[in-house]
Amino acid sequence: MQPPPAPGKLSPLTRRLPLANLETTQGLKRVLGPANLVALGVGATIGAGLFSLTGIAASENAGPAVVLSFLVAAIACGFAGLCYSELSSMIPIAGSAYTYAYVTLGELMAWIIGWDLVLEYAVGAATVAVSWSRYVVSLLDSWGIVLPPRLTASPFETLHMADGSVTHGIANLPAALAICGVSWVLIRGISQSAMVNAVIVTIKLLVIAAFIGFGIAYINPANYHPFLPPNDGTFGHFGLSGVMRAAGTIFFAYVGFDAVSTTAQETRNPARNMPIGILGSLLVCTLVYVAFATVMTGLVNYRDMVGDAAPVATAINRTPYHWLQTAVKIGIICGFTSVLLGMLLGQSRVFFAMSRDGLLPRLFSITHPRYQTPWLSNLFFMGLTCLLSAFLPISELGHMTSIGTLLAFVLVCAGVMALRRTAPDTPRPFKVPGGDIIPVLGVLSCGSVMIFLDQMTWLRLVVWLAIGMVIYVAYGRTHSRLAQAKPDNTAPQT
């Protein structure tokens, strides 16, 4: 293979990170094994998508056939997961889809996907923090501990007080405190974060198992009829289009395995362990989702979940086990906590990689002298997500996060095909079988799910990417380490 042209002479469309220079990047500890990675993926995946969006997707789009929506989303994720595994075994450094795009598709596409991942992780983390707050407030209230309502809601939310008065919130402090607590754990170190996550994931899975085990005996078979409600004349409202729209809605529920790939630079033997972590967590989550959705739609008719923000609690009420309500609330809170950990971890690692490459200021790639974590990046996103979760009423962001995830998956699948042509002789410790068939299916399946999302979701994505392009043109394009490389070098030294 011929050596690449000098990076400094190339345009943002053609500048690519040379594979030969990637192994020199240092600064993060390699401490994670396959069990840690599977637990991280499960922890970052099972949360708001399962406990909240399942009811919404069933009542508004697919009915009991939401189970099929989970399978459609899982198949699309499976294709993307295989492609992630090939790239993560070849490119074992931080950055996930951003780094893969930089190596395969060029700097401009890398910036687009990196900025897209900000949407996926930061906005998603703020959304989950608000949901975490609501369940914590509800749990404390059931124990007789009542927090001041104005300190658990944003200034834009209207509150109806017990005395009949109407007021507005001041700030959602529990949500902000959740962000701060998780960020502190992440700053302390990846191994500590992994241990905390493993405990949380164990509690969460035990509670989900209890819900499925105790609830299955009280399923009403009549709730499964019709399994696939006929379309009511509106695109995306039941019928086949409803199943596909629901798949796009609950795609947010599969974001976690992308977070696994962001830890490649902190993984022991990434060529072996990254595929295990990515595909293992995807398999576990798919089985849990299908079983959970089957039981929930069997306990509660999908028509009764319209506008229900807590469908799991509604389903539990159809059983005689009232103690299970408290247990499930605790499990949901644990689920949200582990999702926060995965999202904030992934976001800080993406910014670490973008800063390392010069597309963002250097402060985001500075590691802590003791903990060897990108602590300034953690602090930045702690502040940003605290502001979002404390002062904004986060709504309809499940779709927004889903489309960001889908776009990342499409580019990763395309990147596998591109790298096979530009670097055919590079060793691939894990290679997707079947030539280009699976990457093509990944592009088509994820792209198809994107098409079924609503127009406002697409508009928000376009506006977000336009803002990112302004930042890239103003800073990243000229500060890129490849742009500043000397003509006689193939890449800047780390």
Side-chain angles (χ1 to χ4, degrees), residues 362-373:
R362 183 178 175 273
L363 65 92
F364 293 114
S365 57
I366 296 175
T367 56
H368 194 281
R370 178 181 176 186
Y371 303 127
Q372 291 186 274
T373 56

Side-chain angles (χ1 to χ4, degrees), residues 190-231:
I190 188 67
S191 58
Q192 289 83 354
S193 303
M195 288 187 291
V196 170
N197 182 70
V199 173
I200 292 173
V201 168
T202 300
I203 296 173
K204 178 168 57 177
L205 291 179
L206 287 174
V207 170
I208 291 174
F211 172 82
I212 295 172
F214 286 105
I216 197 169
Y218 298 91
I219 288 176
N220 180 3
N223 289 331
Y224 293 132
H225 301 286
F227 181 73
L228 179 57
N231 184 266

Side-chain angles (χ1 to χ4, degrees), residues 388-472:
L388 291 173
S389 60
F391 296 108
L392 291 180
I394 309 297
S395 61
E396 297 187 10
L397 289 176
H399 287 181
M400 201 169 178
T401 306
S402 291
I403 197 169
T405 306
L406 285 162
L407 178 58
F409 290 179
V410 167
L411 292 179
V412 166
C413 293
V416 167
M417 293 185 286
L419 196 58
R420 286 179 177 179
R421 285 154 179 77
T422 58
D425 299 324
T426 301
R428 288 166 169 78
F430 176 89
K431 186 174 183 178
V432 178
D436 286 344
I437 294 176
I438 287 177
V440 168
L441 289 175
V443 171
L444 294 177
S445 58
C446 292
S448 298
V449 176
M450 289 179 72
I451 291 172
F452 281 89
L453 290 170
D454 60 271
Q455 293 180 351
M456 284 305 299
T457 299
W458 276 95
L459 178 61
R460 285 190 289 261
L461 176 65
V462 171
V463 171
W464 179 258
L465 293 180
I467 294 172
M469 287 305 301
V470 171
I471 296 174
Y472 174 72

Side-chain angles (χ1 to χ4, degrees), residues 32-40 198 273 276-277:
L32 300 179
N36 299 130
L37 295 174
V38 172
L40 175 63
N273 293 336
I276 294 174

Side-chain angles (χ1 to χ4, degrees), residues 96-117:
S96 180
Y98 157 76
T99 300
Y100 307 154
Y102 211 159
V103 171
T104 60
L105 303 175
E107 183 175 287
L108 183 60
M109 290 303 297
W111 170 265
I112 290 173
I113 199 61
W115 188 249
D116 172 68
L117 290 173

